[in-house]
Amino acid sequence: MADTKMTKTVGEHWVAAQLARLGWAPALTRDGLERTDILAVNTMLDRKQIEVQVKTVNGTGPRTSWPLGEKAQQVELHDREWFVLVAVPHEVTEPPRSFVIPRNHVAAAAWIAHMHWLTEPGVPAGRRNAGVGRARVFIEAFLRYENRWDLLHEPTTAVPVLLPPRMRKQASRPEVGLPLGHPWTGSLPEW
């Protein structure tokens, strides 16, 4: 499945189907709402609403990565903004993999991964110069968020950071840090 529009459609519909199976009433926004592909209301508990941004890529191996540019690195506007990153296997009989992540966690991961790559010790100056808008994050960074649909019942601010501990160490380097205005700036949470 090489067509990127088809890949996007597969991811959005996969997420909508998963949400519906879990008691959320999803509505696709059809590219009409910035930062949100799906709006959903919980029909079984408290009628809370969530906003979901879906990013989908083909492949599920260790080299699988999502492009998470400047828009993905914007911090949340409220505590119900989520990303679901979807990895679609090349084999059509295998189900997609889903990673359910609070927006602020994605913003931090994208920034940290890119800035670490850009300033990695031992790499000669000038060898890497792509801007943060070209950030990509590999699947390994999000493994602990896989199939964590249960997290959607919590405010994003109450979700523990499940990023790899090495990313916390990378973020503490002055040349890496966090994106401007990120709520973890100045005081990284434990993870």
Side-chain angles (χ1 to χ4, degrees), residues 60-152:
T60 59
R63 298 301 299 160
T64 299
S65 65
W66 288 268
L68 298 169
E70 292 174 3
K71 286 185 181 180
Q73 295 168 37
Q74 295 173 347
V75 297
E76 66 185 22
L77 298 176
H78 60 83
D79 66 359
R80 293 289 172 181
E81 281 191 83
W82 296 88
F83 268 87
V84 178
L85 304 180
V86 180
V88 179
H90 296 295
E91 179 56 53
V92 296
T93 59
E94 295 178 26
R97 294 175 69 184
S98 307
F99 304 85
V100 182
I101 313 165
R103 175 175 273 281
N104 283 344
H105 298 211
V106 170
W111 180 273
I112 293 165
H114 186 76
M115 295 307 290
H116 174 71
W117 172 82
L118 197 62
T119 63
E120 188 173 3
V123 176
R127 295 281 290 204
R128 297 179 178 175
N129 55 19
V132 75
R134 304 282 305 216
R136 294 192 76 87
V137 182
F138 288 98
I139 199 169
E140 174 272 333
F142 300 119
L143 290 177
R144 292 175 30 189
Y145 294 95
E146 189 164 9
N147 292 322
R148 292 300 310 269
W149 300 98
D150 59 300
L151 297 176
L152 296 175

Side-chain angles (χ1 to χ4, degrees), residues 35 105 109 157 165 184:
R35 299 166 59 117
H105 298 211
T157 52
W184 302 345

Side-chain angles (χ1 to χ4, degrees), residues 3 8 23 71 97 124 137 148 160 162-163 172:
D3 185 319
K8 177 178 172 46
K71 286 185 181 180
R97 294 175 69 184
V137 182
R148 292 300 310 269
L162 303 174
L163 298 169
S172 66

Side-chain angles (χ1 to χ4, degrees), residues 44-55:
M44 299 172 73
L45 296 173
D46 49 20
R47 309 281 306 168
K48 285 192 175 151
Q49 293 183 342
I50 57 172
E51 296 181 28
V52 180
Q53 178 76 51
V54 180
K55 294 283 185 188

